[in-house]
Amino acid sequence: MSGPIDLDRRGPPGGGWTRPTRFAAMLGGIAITAMMLHIFVDVVAKLFFNAPLQGTMEIAAYYYMVGIVFLPIAFTDWVRQAITVDLFFGLFPAWLKAAAVLLTLCGMAFAYAGFAILSWQDAFAFMARREIAMGSGNVQIWPARFIMSAGLSLAAVTCAWQLFLFVSGRDRKSWLASELAVEE
């Protein structure tokens, strides 16, 4: 492969995983837009008609914000745009870089999978109880619990796929590059 990898457009080599992660991130972006419109309509209705929308705060907190936070995680990991601190990584010999990447990807995959399993269990428990939030209006919030579960599951699969690509050698070179991509 010649030239630098354009992670923003295609994702890592050996990919095929860009579409699902990009779709989830797009849903997170839609949640931001929907939240802004919902709050705008609520404010206009309150100021001009003295009739605020019932449950706006609960819907924003339990639906929109959860989608904004958890849906784009997999895409952020896939295109390697999470916050990183590479103080010493560039100084490591190749074998230590490989060990660090391997340990990191294993840890991320297991952590995301563990959180996903716990969140699926909670989501089904809340669904069985038909959880609601009582505020300015009663809002059923149990469906929102599945948003977090889906986002964490996608992130776990993404990290596991990256781990497979690294171990199989299909995407080892891009992980072990010592140049730091610093934006100015």
Side-chain angles (χ1 to χ4, degrees), residues 50-111:
N50 199 24
L53 301 178
Q54 298 297 313
T56 297
M57 186 168 61
E58 291 79 11
I59 292 170
Y62 288 101
Y63 284 91
Y64 299 135
M65 298 252 192
V66 173
I68 291 166
V69 170
F70 288 99
L71 291 176
I73 290 175
F75 181 73
T76 303
D77 286 338
W78 183 249
V79 296
R80 301 181 197 153
Q81 293 298 313
I83 297 170
T84 59
V85 180
D86 299 331
L87 291 176
F88 302 107
F89 187 79
L91 304 174
F92 288 172
W95 69 270
L96 191 53
K97 284 182 182 180
V101 170
L102 189 67
L103 182 65
T104 300
L105 289 175
C106 283
M108 288 172 57
F110 281 115

Side-chain angles (χ1 to χ4, degrees), residues 7-10 18-27 75:
L7 294 175
D8 291 329
R9 302 189 92 214
R10 310 184 275 114
T18 302
R19 283 187 183 154
T21 59
R22 190 178 296 268
F23 179 72
M26 184 182 68
L27 290 177
F75 181 73

Side-chain angles (χ1 to χ4, degrees), residues 146-158:
F146 290 95
I147 298 170
M148 182 171 78
S149 304
L152 289 170
S153 297
L154 186 61
V157 172
T158 298

Side-chain angles (χ1 to χ4, degrees), residues 37-53:
L37 290 173
H38 192 154
I39 292 171
F40 174 77
V41 170
D42 181 51
V43 169
V44 168
K46 182 178 181 178
L47 289 176
F48 292 111
F49 305 108
N50 199 24
L53 301 178

Side-chain angles (χ1 to χ4, degrees), residues 1 10-20 78 161 164-165 170-171:
M1 186 175 234
R10 310 184 275 114
W17 195 243
T18 302
R19 283 187 183 154
W78 183 249
W161 182 245
F164 168 76
L165 292 175
R170 293 169 58 187
D171 185 22

